[in-house]
Amino acid sequence: MRIGVLCSGGDSPGMNAAIRGAVLRGVEVHGFEMVGFMDGWRGFHEADLVPLDRSAVRGISPLGGVILGTSRVPPFASGDGDAAEWQAIRARMAEYRLDGFLLIGGNGTQTVAKLLTDAGIRAIGLPKTIDNDLGGTDYTFGFDTAVSIASEAIDRLRTTGESHSRCMVLEVMGRNAGWIALHAGMAGGAQVTLIPEHPESIEQISEWVLSVRDRGRSSLVVVAEGFTLEGADGEVTREGLDGFGRPRLGGVAEMLAPLIEERTGIETRATVLGHVQRGGSPTAFDRVLATRTGIAAADAAHAGRWGTMAGLHGDRIDLVPLHEAVGRLKTVPDARYEEVRLNFG
Amino acid sequence: MRIGVLCSGGDSPGMNAAIRGAVLRGVEVHGFEMVGFMDGWRGFHEADLVPLDRSAVRGISPLGGVILGTSRVPPFASGDGDAAEWQAIRARMAEYRLDGFLLIGGNGTQTVAKLLTDAGIRAIGLPKTIDNDLGGTDYTFGFDTAVSIASEAIDRLRTTGESHSRCMVLEVMGRNAGWIALHAGMAGGAQVTLIPEHPESIEQISEWVLSVRDRGRSSLVVVAEGFTLEGADGEVTREGLDGFGRPRLGGVAEMLAPLIEERTGIETRATVLGHVQRGGSPTAFDRVLATRTGIAAADAAHAGRWGTMAGLHGDRIDLVPLHEAVGRLKTVPDARYEEVRLNFG
Amino acid sequence: MRIGVLCSGGDSPGMNAAIRGAVLRGVEVHGFEMVGFMDGWRGFHEADLVPLDRSAVRGISPLGGVILGTSRVPPFASGDGDAAEWQAIRARMAEYRLDGFLLIGGNGTQTVAKLLTDAGIRAIGLPKTIDNDLGGTDYTFGFDTAVSIASEAIDRLRTTGESHSRCMVLEVMGRNAGWIALHAGMAGGAQVTLIPEHPESIEQISEWVLSVRDRGRSSLVVVAEGFTLEGADGEVTREGLDGFGRPRLGGVAEMLAPLIEERTGIETRATVLGHVQRGGSPTAFDRVLATRTGIAAADAAHAGRWGTMAGLHGDRIDLVPLHEAVGRLKTVPDARYEEVRLNFG
Amino acid sequence: MRIGVLCSGGDSPGMNAAIRGAVLRGVEVHGFEMVGFMDGWRGFHEADLVPLDRSAVRGISPLGGVILGTSRVPPFASGDGDAAEWQAIRARMAEYRLDGFLLIGGNGTQTVAKLLTDAGIRAIGLPKTIDNDLGGTDYTFGFDTAVSIASEAIDRLRTTGESHSRCMVLEVMGRNAGWIALHAGMAGGAQVTLIPEHPESIEQISEWVLSVRDRGRSSLVVVAEGFTLEGADGEVTREGLDGFGRPRLGGVAEMLAPLIEERTGIETRATVLGHVQRGGSPTAFDRVLATRTGIAAADAAHAGRWGTMAGLHGDRIDLVPLHEAVGRLKTVPDARYEEVRLNFG
């Protein structure tokens, strides 16, 4: 059996551990031949591939990034691919003598895995994204590292905020789902946590910040990049506009900070955490989760369980059919948001 | 409703976050009065208690240790308590006007929670132990922090081991269950992971170390303190003796290192991680898990769900009956041990 | 002897250790009475002060921020103070029964210390600033922590940059001096380090980035916030304008990234590290430096060495006259910039 | 010019950065050819060498350990070498076409560098040791990382000590000089710091621990491995014996803990930090110091300044004659010990 591995989408801590787990189990236990495509589908299209064996994955679990590279190059120029494109994929597979794929990625990649499966091509999904917005798994690898970095940033901002009696606003990743903000906010004891799933008005936010001041503390506001402000007329922030119909400069933290300062009279500063959230050495949690996901994926290939994704359920890695995992965004449920609202006001 | 909180057993990162979660939810949402007993049952016996309200738990989530202190003082002088001791407990509860308990602890503490429940005293358990050997929950808080510290130690030992072509042996906690060794070993890519659940012979261990050398690398051996060596005659290490019937000095790492060096000719050094594993600021994972456990325990008290323990199941905190959670040690299943054996040899 | 302590300017990791060192030595060894003013000169003006004794400084060295708070409130409404303001300061000192000041701060604060000294008021300076731009000392406390955080951010950005073959631009603090960029860039192996002391043209920067690509790597550019771009006509960036006379949005990283991408065709992303640089627990280096500075300042007060600043020189803390320390900005010498240019291109 | 680089003695964080600095400056700026010997003098004796150029040192600064390996293999079988051994060294140098050496190491290595110099062989020293016990430089690289790790361990042990009202004893490295204990103890606010330079009696130590208890705190005792206990009769601990003439088991922490517990009645636990102190990624401080040391050494070779060592003096790297740097151990001066005694009792 000859298996191709590729990574697609944004990088996510743990990808190296996942590759290592799959290769150690696949090559050493099941006797697979394995190859990796560089920079995702780019390497597939351009025959840029490397053999994956024990020595290729030596010592890589603690390393950030991913040894194969990753990119957003899609398998098809357009949508679900036309006949010629499918033909090209099958031709490439024959050329590389591939029996199947292990696809490491988030929502987009797992949707591709399902497309391949529907077309009769063997594929198994390994769910990774720092955003944790993928169904079919309790947590995706990369998420714990991102939360850990964001939580550490909150610990740091809090001390400078308290020393200067300032309100500090920290913007973290999460365009469509507020998982990083939710967990980092809870871990760091943020007084206000704002997520895409729950628009709030600037009046409400300012009231929370003022009540924190009244209790003698300085506010730490953590906000997911996709949070939308509820305007006076019920309109929420739109792409390019703030909640008041004015052109929006910079990210959501840079929009919020002056509005909070204006309404509360409290000096307010914005920090955008940015790309540091997805870099660096993975946490032990993510290394373990990713390694086990890789092992489970190799086992699934060996057992012929194509068309599945290896997801975390409790303390086990189980296989879920790809069509159950993809297509819907996993967002933060109301009950979880209620938990962080404990700290508000 | 007036609720007493106490912590018992070894300290475990996340205990402060659990107290904070329970207090913010209990006092602010459900209107409880709450008090904390200092140093566990000692404070209960000696009327050493403090009020727990919002200001008492301000900013404590990132702090290691526990603001209430903890101790191994038992509720009863002997076993399950005699009639006089039970009478004393009820008298104290009346004196403190307590309606029920939140008990933060490991196997021993949750067994006490069950005893109280059986005697008609209201109690809810919050599972904590760095050892992760408690049933009724996927993971206990404190475990992730301990694994994280052990994994970081492996990363550090590996570089010095490789520079000197030495075999490094790291002893981590785990008297009866090998969870910390298992996860840290997987996260750190240890070549050999030894746990109490799986005795191995010194011949087998030496063979693994030699085969690592043959592949051009230096071995990192992680061993749980409760690991027992299988002797030539099938006898395993016993308290005070090594697997060869000789008196045992120091811990298991200090026993293994010279045996490995003797058999392989490779310079071998032992490090005992010790108490640093249970100290310091909790990981974001443990802070979130502990906070949610505290919230769930307060909700359980409000809902009258006494006699339960708040455990993690997937991405949810559910209540499990105490009699299901206690009494059996959760050990590492064979399939998990197989995963780390991937790296052996 | 009764000594007042106050902190002024931006917060800097190590301030708590400095206060602790001064108090343990001043109160326990020299028998001083000591008080701290809250939020710098605000507390002095408004009689907001706290006693400083052993219990007040218990366990504070590892804490970020500063227990006394800090602010940019000046001692005088205007410049060097008019007669009435000086009279008010002396009246307040009498009211508080102060014999002298320990002033913890950067260039501005040490200039005030010199003003006080010139006016016959007893003051000793403790140099702190994350920017390290103060003379009279090898390093200021806070700097090592800021460098450490910036260097860690570079380690993280590098992995995501390499995985995506992107050029990553990291903006760090340093309005007038490039010390943080210089040290973090060297520690992190940044391919390009840009500092205020050395304007460079966008053509030159792009050439460096391209030559890095030609060697098969992805560039990490670290830039101090005060860096100015040398325009085609030799004009450098000015406040509010970029080097091309166009209005400047956001910080210098956000200006550079699109210019680099435009000229090199390499996807380029900006990250602004911001306030996380000055927060959180100080490094061991800063805790030791700050503690020793506090001790030396208390000794100086005891010895009547008023009008001095306690600075690091080699492995010793020596006292330098304030008039030698203040008034000139310590910038990066050419030879140090040459060292980081090693990595360019 | 063709230069050989080798590392000798225990590994020390920063060695990779030193090699990288020397190679980037030596090869890229001065046009040297450079080679590295594997595992120190072993590689020299056995012709195990690798070319060192830009690609060989790519990205190595953040890595712990050392890419060349290190060992305690000496250049001579015995002492200062006999005529045949010197002849062999010159023959090897001719075979490798070496013009000179860069020698990275501690006291032993720098003594060898001086021997070579005295024999007319070109050598320049780069001082490294986590122990910081080398003259001719303010600090050696590796020391800051070791202090940082020890200080972090103190932060962790303190929380568990306070939670259990225990006295915690931490043993750190330092056989002949107490620098790591001194700096880590000061950074971590240890209540008692014990170093080889200052024997203390168990009565004195116990008194300090009791007085800490009387102030309501738990003691953290940091002790260098070479500390010797002053016995009742003035005899200090000797190799293999404790201060009471009894056989000594384990290290100094394991000897002290039961003695403290016996005399104070306070539960006391020992932790031996061990090899983790010398492993892992170097701090930013050590990376910068090591890189600059490497650069200075390459410049020294280019300028023909053989027979010198590149040492830190203030914020500069200066060259000191080897005969001034070697031969005397740099120990902790009394005034520095007085500073940490502030916290005692």
Side-chain angles (χ1 to χ4, degrees), chain B residues 11 65-66 70 159-160 163-164 280, chain D residues 11 65-66 70 159-160 163-164 279-280:
Chain B
D11 65 326
V66 58
T70 181
T159 62
T160 188
S163 295
H164 287 276
Chain D
D11 63 327
V66 57
T70 181
T159 63
T160 188
S163 294
H164 286 277

Side-chain angles (χ1 to χ4, degrees), chain A residues 3-344:
Chain A
I3 308 275
V5 179
L6 66 80
C7 303
S8 200
D11 64 327
S12 191
M15 293 167 93
N16 282 327
I19 293 171
R20 179 173 170 276
V23 168
L24 287 182
R25 188 78 149 211
V27 172
E28 301 280 316
V29 177
H30 299 311
F32 297 166
E33 272 182 72
M34 297 179 76
V35 295
F37 294 98
M38 300 305 294
D39 306 331
W41 292 102
R42 187 199 63 75
F44 183 83
H45 294 321
E46 302 176 6
D48 188 358
L49 68 172
V50 292
L52 290 176
D53 56 15
R54 182 163 208 145
S55 69
V57 299
R58 168 181 164 163
I60 64 172
S61 289
L63 305 181
V66 59
I67 55 166
L68 296 178
T70 181
S71 73
R72 299 189 191 276
V73 172
F76 310 115
S78 59
D80 300 355
D82 59 26
E85 286 175 322
W86 281 98
Q87 184 51 34
I89 284 193
R90 292 181 200 276
R92 281 287 187 196
M93 287 186 69
E95 176 190 339
Y96 306 143
R97 295 177 295 111
L98 287 193
D99 296 295
F101 286 102
L102 300 189
L103 295 176
I104 304 177
N107 261 312
T109 307
Q110 302 310 329
T111 302
V112 167
K114 182 178 170 296
L115 273 181
L116 294 176
T117 300
D118 292 346
I121 294 174
R122 290 162 165 180
I124 289 165
L126 292 84
K128 74 98 191 79
T129 159
I130 63 166
D131 294 329
N132 196 40
D133 58 2
L134 189 60
T137 185
D138 292 344
Y139 296 105
T140 50
F141 59 80
F143 173 62
D144 188 65
T145 303
V147 168
S148 168
I149 293 171
S151 162
E152 187 182 64
I154 292 176
D155 287 354
R156 286 179 178 156
L157 289 176
R158 181 178 295 296
T159 64
T160 189
E162 298 270 359
S163 293
H164 286 276
S165 304
R166 281 178 187 150
C167 173
M168 304 301 280
V169 180
L170 176 68
E171 179 177 325
V172 299
M173 286 188 173
R175 200 154 302 180
N176 303 305
W179 288 106
I180 294 177
L182 184 86
H183 277 237
M186 180 176 269
Q191 277 88 5
V192 180
T193 299
L194 302 171
I195 60 177
E197 293 87 343
H198 284 266
E200 303 280 1
S201 72
I202 188 65
E203 288 75 23
Q204 176 63 79
I205 296 168
S206 301
E207 197 179 293
W208 284 327
V209 169
L210 284 170
S211 82
V212 170
R213 203 255 310 270
D214 292 346
R215 286 189 283 118
R217 294 203 72 186
S218 301
S219 285
L220 193 304
V221 178
V222 59
V223 57
E225 58 182 329
F227 170 74
T228 50
L229 197 61
E230 195 179 62
D233 56 353
E235 277 298 293
V236 298
T237 329
R238 282 194 315 277
E239 196 66 38
L241 296 182
D242 66 18
F244 304 90
R246 298 183 300 202
R248 178 170 158 180
L249 302 175
V252 65
E254 280 145 354
M255 177 190 72
L256 279 178
L259 295 177
I260 292 173
E261 181 162 322
E262 188 183 317
R263 271 160 186 76
T264 63
I266 298 168
E267 195 182 14
T268 303
R269 297 290 169 87
T271 300
V272 181
L273 197 49
H275 290 84
V276 293
Q277 277 163 101
R278 57 188 337 126
S281 187
T283 58
F285 181 95
D286 273 339
R287 295 189 206 174
V288 170
L289 173 55
T291 304
R292 296 181 69 199
T293 301
I295 291 172
D299 286 350
H302 184 248
R305 301 283 308 277
W306 305 102
T308 60
M309 188 182 84
L312 176 70
H313 301 97
D315 55 7
R316 296 194 0 231
I317 310 287
D318 290 329
L319 301 176
V320 291
L322 275 163
H323 62 83
E324 288 180 13
V326 305
R328 60 194 173 78
L329 195 74
K330 188 172 75 173
T331 54
V332 174
D334 287 354
R336 295 298 311 277
Y337 185 61
E338 279 308 308
E339 291 173 358
V340 294
R341 287 189 66 163
L342 268 183
N343 213 1
F344 292 1

